[in-house]
Amino acid sequence: QHALSSGVRRYHVAPVLCQRAKVAMSHFEPNEYINYEKLEKNINIVRKRLDRPLTLSEKIVYGHLDDPAKQEIERGKTYLRLRPDRVAMQDATAQMAMLQFISSGLPKVAVPSTIHCDHLIEAQSGGEKDLQRAKDINQEVYNFLSTAGAKYGVGFWKPGSGIIHQIILENYSYPGVMLIGTDSHTPNGGGLGGICIGVGGADAVDVMAGIPWELKCPKVIGVKLTGKLSGWTSPKDVILKVAGILTVKGGTGAIIEYHGPGVDSISCTGMATICNMGAEIGATTSIFPYNERMKKYLGKTGRADIAALADEFKQHLIPDSGCQYDQVIEINLSELKPHINGPFTPDLAHPVSDIGAVAEKEGWPVDIRVGLIGSCTNSSYEDMGRSAAVAKQALAHGLKCKSKFTITPGSEQIRATIERDGYAKVLREVGGLVLANACGPCIGQWDRKDIKKGEKNTIVTSYNRNFTGRNDANPETHAFVTSPEIVTALSIAGTLKFNPETDYLTGADGKKFKLEAPDADELPKLEFDPGQDTYQYPPKDGSGQHVDVSPTSQRLQLLEPFDKWDGKDLEDMLILIKVKGKCTTDHISAAGPWLKFRGHLDNISNNLLIGAINIENGKANSVRNALTQEFGPVPDTARYYKKMGVKWAVVGDENYGEGSSREHAALEPRHLGGRVIITKSFARIHETNLKKQGLLPLTFADPADYNKIHPVDKLSIVGLKDFAPGKPLKCIIKHPNGSQETIMLNHTFNESQIEWFQAGSALNRMKELQQKSS
């Protein structure tokens, strides 16, 4: 009950200077207070300096500057040094983040931080059984995270508590907060008016260590919403439409800021859905302005005191009138139609009314094998209510789902409340299987039995990401993302050719009927049922706590520091692989069965780039070993080069490293001897992660130079003694016939990031600075 019963206002006698009440950031940290005064002070300093109206994104970002008076601020150019309010980590990335924090030698985290167990629970037979199985299989990892949390002052949400982003929305996000999370869908918290950014574990370590966190000053893309949502159109359709407009890299380096009169027709959890999937367009984060819908949600989740305080500071939690955006997109919600995006990429947008015809024309399977609702994107009370409203109509006509159908509640609170209010019963009756409160199939944690690997099939989900093989490791699964209510309707019909707005179903009595657009409460009429208590408070003093890492463990491995730069140019590097086309973090470091090795760098390195397509032979996980001339798996070849003392590079295409925030995609190449990744362009989080681990992420000054490099060439990066911000590096390509070409490579390193490279990693540099100061 604790999560809700302590929702009383916590007014303390404040100093004479400030008569305002002190309000806790969350129920779980009663002595950590929201500091809107500091936010206000910083915003006023920056506004005076810039002398112009500010966007909401700028207010919150600049409001968290380490030095607002002196910080250089130019959108898209300068690096900002920021002081986030808190850190959140999911269990798959928390392992490496905590291992890095342990090796930093610090006694306790400097800001409120939490660990959330949601990624290691495989969907197999249903919620309870799957949860128990996960607890048994992952006991060693859960014990490590629990004891590390207790020792270093980090709150621990046990397995079964729910998905990190739903827990953050229910307990930790609030208007004006700056939160960083070790998961790419952290922007979900923007639905409560916070700047919530997905990062790698090394960034989280910086913030937990009390070091200013660096972020390239984001551009701001404004999305002006007019009209209002109605009928079958849902908040999910807003981001499906935006993804179609901006594509998977159109938001890179920018915050997406929603504004305009249409905003008020969207529920708070609906705004979170939109912000969550903003990760799919490469956006730094997304945000909505503080409004009544957020106030209502804060009240219902036991945080009326935060809403009251936000009301007092509202002018800092909405954009200034007349503020300028770098780009503006307008969407009229009254005209927006239900959308479905896919397959194989989340930006291939189609109106639901067209998808059947498009699928037939493209040769995509139209029969839907499985419909899956829930996930961190769409598992709110409202989502479940709208899906249940569709299911009820089918049941009233004697119908059940033709497709298999699964439901993933976002949190224990959502699970308990939809059980109490009857939604779960309806969804089961229509043929649904309720899975654990966890990520499950959305991240590939799905023991799928209804098809064979390689079998061509279609699934529809209310998830956020649908890259090849992501959900079930089958490259022939055509995954489409849409809203939960559309997934439910399509699962009942069993085909992509069904448009619930216009088409009829045939009831058990042989009569035709049409589904009515679903309607459901955005929040429960009663209070939320918190369900089981799944939170572990860190003790006041954790110094005596022992943290277990067995030297023989196959799941956990303490980190050894990476080697320092030797002061020389990188000469005659071999090319491990020249990647053809899309290369996401799923291609670089697959999830699914590999998640169990997230705390063991050497073991997980056996999945390095096994999903990437080699341009030399068009195959995945088959590269030429330049020393033996034999073809073999990518990780084995990298290990061979490392054993022989040979440095290597990777050559990649556009938006390299899009997708998840997993830093293993940067740790693995570094661990196996990689030095340089050269691409046409990088996704933001991955580029930073590579820098943090002492690698050189470089981009072709002329993208056409990608074609000059062949997998059999050798590469030299010269001029590293003069490595400096804004100064391109020279690359000499040596062809097997003895000829050479020189091309220029750009980089985005600033001075402190160059120090990371020279020290061998950001963590090495942190230790150097600690030793100097002590």
Side-chain angles (χ1 to χ4, degrees), residues 341-548:
N341 289 21
F344 307 124
T345 186
D347 57 354
L348 187 58
H350 322 268
V352 170
S353 54
D354 298 350
I355 189 61
V358 173
E360 286 193 317
K361 178 170 167 273
E362 297 290 342
W364 303 330
V366 291
D367 288 345
I368 297 165
R369 285 296 187 76
V370 193
L372 304 100
I373 64 168
S375 85
C376 66
T377 321
N378 276 113
S379 58
S380 66
Y381 186 80
E382 180 182 39
D383 288 328
M384 294 296 158
R386 283 173 69 90
S387 298
V390 175
K392 251 185 192 164
Q393 296 177 61
L395 290 167
H397 290 86
L399 294 188
K400 289 191 173 191
C401 290
K402 282 190 180 168
S403 313
K404 286 182 182 294
F405 186 51
T406 71
I407 302 100
T408 304
S411 68
E412 171 60 8
Q413 182 164 284
I414 291 294
R415 183 207 62 77
T417 308
I418 66 169
E419 287 289 359
R420 181 196 69 195
D421 293 354
Y423 291 166
K425 182 172 182 282
V426 170
L427 294 169
R428 278 193 196 96
E429 284 174 355
V430 86
L433 174 68
V434 179
L435 301 174
N437 315 323
C439 304
C442 183
I443 58 154
Q445 284 284 41
W446 185 16
D447 184 16
R448 191 175 177 192
K449 296 279 204 290
D450 65 296
I451 54 146
K452 292 187 178 75
K453 192 164 180 178
E455 189 180 333
K456 203 169 169 183
N457 75 103
T458 285
I459 63 173
V460 290
T461 81
S462 70
Y463 303 163
N464 43 39
R465 202 167 272 165
N466 58 347
F467 300 137
T468 304
R470 177 172 175 87
N471 302 120
D472 61 1
N474 179 10
E476 288 301 323
T477 293
H478 293 56
F480 295 84
V481 290
T482 184
S483 68
E485 50 268 51
I486 294 289
V487 173
T488 308
L490 292 177
S491 300
I492 291 162
T495 174
L496 287 177
K497 289 159 75 173
F498 178 68
N499 175 11
E501 288 192 300
T502 56
D503 296 346
Y504 287 80
L505 293 166
T506 304
D509 58 3
K511 290 180 183 168
K512 289 192 178 300
F513 73 99
K514 208 169 121 189
L515 292 169
E516 288 176 19
D519 190 28
D521 294 335
E522 68 179 280
L523 294 163
K525 288 187 172 67
L526 303 170
E527 294 306 312
F528 274 109
D529 181 343
Q532 295 174 30
D533 183 5
T534 52
Y535 180 70
Q536 172 186 296
Y537 286 83
K540 280 196 169 63
D541 177 13
S543 57
Q545 175 73 53
H546 181 66
V547 181
D548 292 332

Side-chain angles (χ1 to χ4, degrees), residues 4-23:
L4 289 169
S5 59
S6 56
V8 293
R9 291 197 179 197
R10 236 178 240 94
Y11 286 155
H12 300 271
V13 179
V16 179
L17 287 172
C18 175
Q19 291 301 319
R20 281 196 176 101
K22 279 184 169 183
V23 175

Side-chain angles (χ1 to χ4, degrees), residues 38-39 41-43 45-47 49-50 58-73 78-84 178 212-215 217-218:
K38 187 178 179 194
L39 188 77
K41 185 180 163 199
N42 286 3
I43 290 170
I45 292 168
V46 172
R47 185 186 274 114
R49 283 181 55 202
L50 298 181
E58 290 181 302
K59 288 182 183 183
I60 303 176
V61 173
Y62 305 161
H64 285 85
L65 283 169
D66 184 47
D67 186 354
K70 296 193 182 131
Q71 172 72 58
E72 265 189 90
I73 299 170
T78 56
Y79 279 87
L80 306 179
R81 288 166 66 81
L82 299 162
R83 293 282 184 182
M178 175 174 268
W213 173 61
E214 283 196 344
L215 176 73
C217 187

Side-chain angles (χ1 to χ4, degrees), residues 565 567 569 718-729 747 754 758:
W565 176 54
D569 286 337
V718 297
L720 285 173
K721 282 196 173 81
D722 303 315
F723 190 14
K727 184 180 173 186
L729 289 166
H747 65 84
I754 289 170
Q758 291 165 341

Side-chain angles (χ1 to χ4, degrees), residues 585-595 598 604 607 610 662 668:
T585 46
D586 281 307
H587 294 88
I588 304 166
S589 174
W594 293 94
L595 282 166
R598 283 285 182 88
I604 200 167
N607 76 4
I610 60 175
R662 66 190 70 142
E668 292 174 32

Side-chain angles (χ1 to χ4, degrees), residues 57 71 177 234 289 317 397 454 522 567 743:
S57 311
Q71 172 72 58
V177 71
S234 74
L317 306 173
H397 290 86
E522 68 179 280
I743 60 171

